[in-house]
Amino acid sequence: MSELGLNTVSFAGRAAASSQFKATYAEGMGLVEETAAYLDGSGRAAAKVLPRMASVLYAAESMRLTTRLMQMASWLLLQRAVNNGEMSRDQVLSEKSKVRLDGFNVDRNAPGWNDLPEAFRDLVERSLRLQNRIALLDREIYRPSDAPIVPDNENSVQAQLNLLRTAFNSN
């Protein structure tokens, strides 16, 4: 099994140090800036004229949105520090334990959701998509070294199809 591990290619590890990461980093930091500008500008004005239920929801969701973005920005900055050799992987593992990339989900069926400004809902949706991509990258990059590896004699695509069949109980 250890010999097999030597042949495994970590696409996430390569992606974390690639132009793909740089694009994700730029997207994340750009979204932070765009959201801050919106919340301090047109979002503030839009929030003042919302119906009561939507106004309460806007306040709660804007706090969740900013928290989500700050957590993602923290992860992106830590990963950039590793990529640039400014921090060791162990240092980042210690620091990233403080970063949450899950939770902060949105209830789109909450009363008042559809009354929220479209631009605000768009920022929330974009932040959720980015959060999911970063969480996936995080799981791939920092997967424990003892995580199971598919043996060479097992077709990994077929194994995934078998898992899907089992999950959906179809033939």
Side-chain angles (χ1 to χ4, degrees):
M1 197 63 130
S2 62
E3 184 179 299
L4 177 62
L6 294 175
N7 294 330
T8 302
V9 175
S10 171
F11 292 109
R14 290 181 188 266
S18 71
S19 60
Q20 179 187 0
F21 172 77
K22 290 176 184 164
T24 302
Y25 179 87
E27 179 184 354
M29 294 307 175
L31 190 55
V32 167
E33 290 178 22
E34 181 182 348
T35 300
Y38 174 81
L39 293 175
D40 285 341
S42 60
R44 185 181 307 257
K48 290 180 181 179
V49 299
L50 289 174
R52 174 145 173 65
M53 197 60 118
S55 180
V56 171
L57 183 61
Y58 181 89
E61 289 301 328
S62 63
M63 288 179 56
R64 284 188 194 102
L65 174 61
T66 55
T67 301
R68 182 183 314 113
L69 289 171
M70 290 302 101
Q71 295 295 310
M72 289 187 293
S74 295
W75 188 91
L76 289 166
L77 288 167
L78 286 170
Q79 189 58 46
R80 186 182 73 171
V82 169
N83 293 350
N84 293 339
E86 299 164 1
M87 293 178 78
S88 72
R89 183 179 168 95
D90 289 339
Q91 289 173 314
V92 169
L93 285 172
S94 173
E95 288 300 314
K96 85 174 210 67
S97 67
K98 302 169 191 168
V99 176
R100 286 190 54 204
L101 293 173
D102 57 355
F104 308 117
N105 288 324
V106 173
D107 181 5
R108 293 168 188 88
N109 296 317
W113 175 259
N114 291 327
D115 294 327
L116 295 176
E118 185 177 339
F120 178 75
R121 287 182 289 153
D122 179 62
L123 289 169
V124 169
E125 295 298 334
R126 288 169 45 209
S127 73
L128 289 168
R129 285 192 302 271
L130 183 61
Q131 176 189 30
N132 288 334
R133 287 193 345 248
I134 290 173
L136 179 63
L137 194 56
D138 179 71
R139 283 190 299 272
E140 290 299 315
I141 294 170
Y142 297 103
R143 178 186 313 160
S145 57
D146 60 351
I149 297 172
V150 177
D152 278 340
N153 63 350
E154 182 177 338
N155 180 331
S156 59
V157 174
Q158 187 60 49
Q160 290 298 312
L161 289 172
N162 289 340
L163 287 172
L164 287 170
R165 279 191 197 100
T166 301
F168 293 105
N169 198 18
S170 64
N171 294 322

